[in-house]
Amino acid sequence: MTFSRALLTLGAAAMFAVTSWHAATAADPEQPVVLAPFYTKSEFEPPPPGSYALPDLGEAADGTVVDASGRVMRLHELLGDGKMVLLSFIYSTCNDINGCPLATAVMYSVQQKLRDRPELRDRFRMLSLSFDPTYDTPEVMRLYGTGFEGGGDWRFLTTASPDALQPILDAYGQSVIRDIDEQGKALPSFTHILRVFLIDPERRIRNIYSVSFLNPDLIINDAITALQTVASGERRASDESLKAPLLSTAGDNKDGYGDESYATRSKELLRRTGTKADLMHFVEAPPLGLPAVPIPADNAITHDKIELGRKLFFDRRLSLNDTFSCAMCHVPEQGFTSHEVSKAVGVEGRSHRRNSPTVYNVAYLTKLFHDGREESLEQQVWGPLLAHNEMANPSVGAVTGKIRKIPEYRGLFEQAFDGRGVSMETIGMALASYQRTLVSADSAFDRWYYGKQETALPESAKRGFNLFTGKAGCVACHTINEEYALFTDDQMHNTGMGYRESMGIKPPTERVVLAPGVFVDVDREVIDSVGLAPPADVGLYEVTQNPYDRWKYRTPSLRNVALTAPYMHNGSIGSLRQVVEFYNGGGVANELLDPRIRPLGLSDAEIDDLVAFMQSLTGSNVDVIVADAFAAPVGDVTRDDPNWAHEHVAGDD
């Protein structure tokens, strides 16, 4: 195809797709040229998001495609990464206003509407895939897409050949026939039935739109509804199960490792992609179920502070030897904690005595760290920066001086803090600003309890809620208010877990998994002989020196609790069910045990229901926050960094 024809194609597509409906309304009413309701007025009002359910119509097919830059890729690379996808099959020279131009016009309208919906825009992708690869080369598709650049994630694709395309068309049931003239000669046009597919983050088709109801408002409402369905944990095998968001899993998830049928589901880190989000939106409009985010009077939150704090949070150069960042203990896809170790591990593998607490919704806390020793995020950040077994910096001056010498930070502090440069105070304020944006709610529970959507919560979780607020008494510490729920009283309690650790109360043997399906019971003496004794930990007592505060630890929030295993201050419990069993048994008796801790008398079925309720507390915006984290730089050391000369011999590249 010539360049001039490509430009003509682009011009025609843009004219049809963007101005058709305006032209149609100005046409002679006696000579109608437009049939699709989109161009005039929809025949119905789209129902509110979440007021209905979208069926699972089957898995979205894969295939080999070529993007507008000429890169060959699998279609599934653009599906299933935390985003809803709107897939349309088109060809650039189509002149049927109720065909491809209609699909493109609707997608353009969706793109414009999403400008004011950052919480959805960052989780929405549109794909326009040509079914005419002979003429629609990558360059033509690039030019075609140029006419619709307006923000958002919209990709224009083709295939290498008709043979590469046909399996994709067949899998999606998209019938396409090239038109012929009276002499049987192929024409540059096609006969096809317009079908546009809405695909959820699990690569499941949720709706298929035709001309009569291809409506941008309906598509947006459907996308929100489908995201709520996935977030609330619908599983194809069971409507009563709840599962984690797509992006929130350990890098090497070993669930079920003890079973002989275990197969690894490890993720390829190099294939993960990030999408930057407008995190300020979550501060300005907290998700359903959360109150206004408290902002200190002396640290007003701004976009510049958030960006700077985000950069610092993921920068490994903030550690002594440029290898360790905040995010390496608070792993975004692992609930901003760490699934894979019970206790945190810092620089050079130095062990910590406590589990990494999640930083989701940390903005609402007034007591920080497991022992509550800090009261503000601005102050808290310096604990890990200076701790020998965390980031190991020798002093505040070492950190501030190092950051001043890193070229990437030049001017960023001054921009964020009205001319103030790098200091102990501004570093704390920037990191605190980013952490305050990590608010997450609008869970299945929130949509049921606060949104009054009766079908948002499975029946098992509803029974679990009744136990949570009744027989089990969990709500006494994990509080729920009429207008919002933090699921923590932000207070300190002795459950007996710290006492058990301090007293060395352990079973005489411990079952060890050697390989999937292979177990051995090892005597405690053997385990103790090859391991170090756990360091002393008496909780709040270390802060107050009040004997009555021994083994007290802060009540964690239960929001996103299904994502934050292992549990307790020492990471000693691996699953939610085991946590419930611990409390069902009344904790561990000791003279300072909190009076709220008592045997609960829950049956196995009631324990299952209580776990189902806690699994319903995963926020709908988790994948947006995680995808944003994936897009953050990690602070690779360059020649311009202050430590380059110490870490590289002369001549290194």
Side-chain angles (χ1 to χ4, degrees), residues 470-536:
K471 179 179 179 179
C474 311
V475 74
C477 296
H478 300 282
T479 52
I480 300 173
N481 296 333
E482 290 186 5
E483 297 180 355
Y484 62 85
L486 297 180
F487 287 99
T488 175
D489 60 3
D490 205 18
Q491 299 300 312
M492 315 296 290
H493 300 285
N494 175 347
T495 66
M497 179 58 70
Y499 172 83
R500 183 172 75 181
E501 186 91 355
S502 292
M503 297 298 111
I505 302 173
K506 298 177 181 178
T509 62
E510 184 171 327
R511 172 155 286 199
V512 176
V513 184
L514 300 181
V518 181
F519 299 86
V520 61
D521 291 320
V522 181
D523 289 340
R524 175 61 52 191
E525 291 181 0
V526 174
I527 294 175
D528 291 343
S529 69
V530 296
L532 294 175

Side-chain angles (χ1 to χ4, degrees), residues 625-647:
I625 293 173
V626 173
D628 174 81
F630 285 173
V634 298
D636 289 324
V637 177
T638 70
R639 285 183 178 274
D640 296 324
D641 288 330
N643 280 359
W644 177 271
H646 301 296
E647 297 175 357

Side-chain angles (χ1 to χ4, degrees), residues 127-304:
L127 304 178
S128 293
L129 173 58
S130 172
F131 52 74
D132 187 14
T134 302
Y135 294 100
D136 286 342
T137 63
E139 174 65 7
V140 169
M141 295 307 290
R142 184 186 68 80
L143 291 169
Y144 186 91
T146 302
F148 310 107
E149 293 178 348
D153 187 351
W154 191 352
R155 315 287 181 93
F156 295 83
L157 310 170
T158 186
T159 53
S161 67
D163 288 341
L165 172 69
Q166 194 58 50
I168 301 175
L169 296 179
D170 292 343
Y172 282 93
Q174 180 69 64
S175 175
V176 176
I177 302 173
R178 183 176 286 279
D179 295 334
I180 58 174
D181 61 16
E182 295 178 353
Q183 286 74 41
K185 182 180 179 181
L187 297 172
S189 59
F190 294 84
T191 297
H192 68 96
I193 297 175
L194 181 66
R195 305 176 86 211
V196 179
F197 299 81
L198 183 68
I199 302 168
D200 73 18
E202 294 186 326
R203 299 185 182 136
R204 310 299 296 183
I205 297 172
R206 289 294 179 172
N207 211 343
I208 305 174
Y209 305 98
S210 63
V211 171
S212 60
F213 64 103
L214 189 60
N215 177 291
D217 292 319
L218 175 62
I219 290 170
I220 289 172
N221 288 4
D222 281 354
I224 296 171
T225 298
L227 285 170
Q228 290 177 353
T229 300
V230 172
S232 66
E234 177 205 71
R235 291 193 184 188
R236 291 180 288 280
S238 170
D239 290 336
E240 293 191 356
S241 298
L242 293 157
K243 63 186 294 188
L246 188 67
L247 300 183
S248 295
T249 58
D252 185 5
N253 192 330
K254 296 181 176 64
D255 287 346
Y257 183 75
D259 193 284
E260 290 183 356
S261 62
Y262 170 79
T264 182
R265 293 173 293 279
S266 60
K267 291 184 175 293
E268 300 176 55
L269 296 181
L270 295 179
R271 289 176 62 100
R272 77 182 193 182
T273 57
T275 303
K276 195 172 183 303
D278 179 12
L279 298 177
M280 178 69 91
H281 171 76
F282 299 133
V283 177
E284 296 173 336
L288 180 67
L290 287 177
V293 177
I295 306 296
D298 59 352
N299 190 19
I301 198 163
T302 66
H303 285 284
D304 287 338

Side-chain angles (χ1 to χ4, degrees), residues 32-48:
V33 295
V34 175
L35 298 177
F38 167 73
Y39 294 123
T40 53
K41 184 179 180 181
S42 177
E43 298 176 358
F44 66 95
E45 287 293 325

